[in-house]
Amino acid sequence: MATAASFNQTSKTVCVMDASGPLGSSIVHRLLQRGYSVHAAVQNQGKLWQSFEGLSCNNEKLKVFHSDPFDYHSIMDALKGCCGLFYSFEPPSDQPTYDEFMADVEVRAAHNVLEACAQTNTIDKVVFTSSATTVIWNDSHRKAPDLDERNWSDLNFCRKFKLWQALSKTLAEKTAWALAMDRSINMVTVNGGLLMSPDLTIANPYLKGAAEMYEDGVFVTVDLRFIVDTHIHVFEDITSYGRYLCFNHVIKCNEDAVKLANTLLPPSESSLPQSLEDTRIHQQRISNKKLNKLMVDFDSKLRVD
């Protein structure tokens, strides 16, 4: 593991893993725009052209690696020569849905990736994508006035109510933090709300418990552009540390809920009646002040070269 350094002091080559999903591929696009060289590590090569649509095949700053998070050597190959890693977990193609077994899969992947980072001598910083669901699911939290990065979801609560995505994300992030602290890895996590990506559907595992999140004032969403900017800024800013709750909208009234439902459902089912009687506004009980303070000076058009 390299000693901590400013992002632009040495190599401007970074790795994005897994780069095949909407978030990973968007981070690749934005990094290339900012002048970085990028190692795009993908599990599923079948998604390759779809992920990097619009990028020149001759782009000298983009190298694509087939990298399996359960194959240590393929991870090391993708990380070679990189000063940073943007890591987000994508479920393997043979186990695409979150269930009670996914936690083991995601934890093993996180462990392998962080261990590989510890074995390099070039990685200055890791940006680990996590979820707001690692913060909100805890029975004792329902009495708390404001949740933030200091809160963690309760594992037994997640198991009891079969919140498999929250369980998986919480265990994986805790595993990553334990390894990062043990091996002196400079890591920051981005704990995103429901990602409003083009492929979002009602089947998204984040939505398990949506009614309770809504009533508790912790149902948060994030635009793709905003979460991409957040990843890049927490990487580039040498003062960033710890966890960052990342969202730019809170679903807290009936109008918001209906609008989201219309987005999630197919056109044939999207004409939901909006109740004129429910005019309640649920008090927001989750804070992203830490991130907002960091993002004040971010320039999304800056190039590092």
Side-chain angles (χ1 to χ4, degrees):
M1 184 72 188
T3 57
S6 175
F7 75 94
N8 61 355
Q9 285 182 337
T10 52
S11 167
K12 299 187 189 71
T13 302
V14 295
C15 179
V16 179
M17 180 187 304
D18 188 301
S20 63
L23 176 59
S25 59
S26 296
I27 291 174
V28 169
H29 279 258
R30 191 65 57 81
L31 287 167
L32 291 171
Q33 290 170 0
R34 289 175 79 81
Y36 287 91
S37 295
V38 180
H39 289 187
V42 298
Q43 278 188 76
N44 187 349
Q45 288 186 303
K47 295 183 179 179
L48 184 61
W49 299 118
Q50 178 183 343
S51 299
F52 304 124
E53 185 178 357
L55 292 178
S56 168
C57 296
N58 300 317
N59 193 318
E60 295 179 355
K61 292 197 170 189
L62 174 64
K63 292 183 179 179
V64 179
F65 294 78
H66 177 257
S67 183
D68 185 340
F70 309 106
D71 179 353
Y72 187 76
H73 295 292
S74 71
I75 299 171
M76 292 295 291
D77 287 344
L79 293 178
K80 188 175 181 180
C82 293
C83 69
L85 168 67
F86 296 83
Y87 173 73
S88 59
F89 175 77
E90 287 287 330
S93 56
D94 61 347
Q95 191 176 350
T97 58
Y98 275 85
D99 55 23
E100 63 266 41
F101 305 110
M102 183 63 82
D104 290 337
V105 176
E106 190 160 355
V107 165
R108 282 192 292 119
H111 183 277
N112 290 345
V113 170
L114 267 293
E115 181 60 39
C117 289
Q119 296 298 325
T120 73
N121 58 3
T122 60
I123 295 290
D124 294 332
K125 196 170 197 177
V126 175
V127 180
F128 186 99
T129 307
S130 189
S131 173
T133 57
T134 66
V135 170
I136 62 177
W137 291 115
N138 191 317
D139 210 25
S140 64
H141 290 174
R142 305 190 75 151
K143 299 177 182 178
D146 231 10
L147 300 182
D148 60 22
E149 292 83 359
R150 293 169 293 184
N151 298 105
W152 283 92
S153 290
D154 180 78
L155 299 176
N156 289 329
F157 185 92
C158 293
R159 291 188 182 99
K160 179 179 179 180
F161 293 100
K162 299 183 178 181
L163 299 164
W164 303 129
Q165 188 265 7
L167 177 69
S168 182
K169 294 296 181 187
T170 304
L171 283 169
E173 188 187 342
K174 286 193 170 188
T175 297
W177 276 120
L179 192 54
M181 288 186 282
D182 182 62
R183 305 301 295 274
S184 299
I185 299 171
N186 181 18
M187 187 178 86
V188 176
T189 64
V190 176
N191 297 69
L194 176 66
L195 180 58
M196 302 301 291
S197 59
D199 64 342
L200 179 64
T201 69
I202 196 70
N204 190 296
Y206 188 107
L207 291 165
K208 180 69 181 292
E212 290 78 10
M213 286 190 282
Y214 172 60
E215 292 172 2
D216 289 347
V218 296
F219 192 176
V220 293
T221 68
V222 62
D223 294 336
L224 184 57
R225 182 181 181 88
F226 184 74
I227 198 170
V228 169
D229 284 348
T230 296
H231 277 75
I232 292 172
H233 189 49
V234 299
F235 174 70
E236 293 179 348
D237 193 325
I238 60 174
T239 69
S240 65
Y241 68 95
R243 310 169 80 201
Y244 288 90
L245 273 167
C246 180
F247 59 90
N248 55 0
H249 187 62
V250 184
I251 309 297
K252 56 184 179 181
C253 67
N254 189 61
E255 182 181 355
D256 292 338
V258 170
K259 187 180 296 184
L260 177 62
N262 287 337
T263 301
L264 293 172
L265 295 170
S268 60
E269 303 176 31
S270 63
S271 298
L272 297 177
Q274 180 171 350
S275 171
L276 299 178
E277 297 177 3
D278 189 356
T279 57
R280 292 174 298 168
I281 296 178
H282 297 280
Q283 181 181 357
Q284 178 179 336
R285 293 180 47 257
I286 187 168
S287 171
N288 59 353
K289 290 179 182 178
K290 182 183 177 186
L291 177 62
N292 289 341
K293 184 177 180 180
L294 189 77
M295 293 291 287
V296 167
D297 298 321
F298 178 66
D299 182 357
S300 63
K301 297 181 180 178
L302 178 71
R303 289 180 62 88
V304 298
D305 56 351

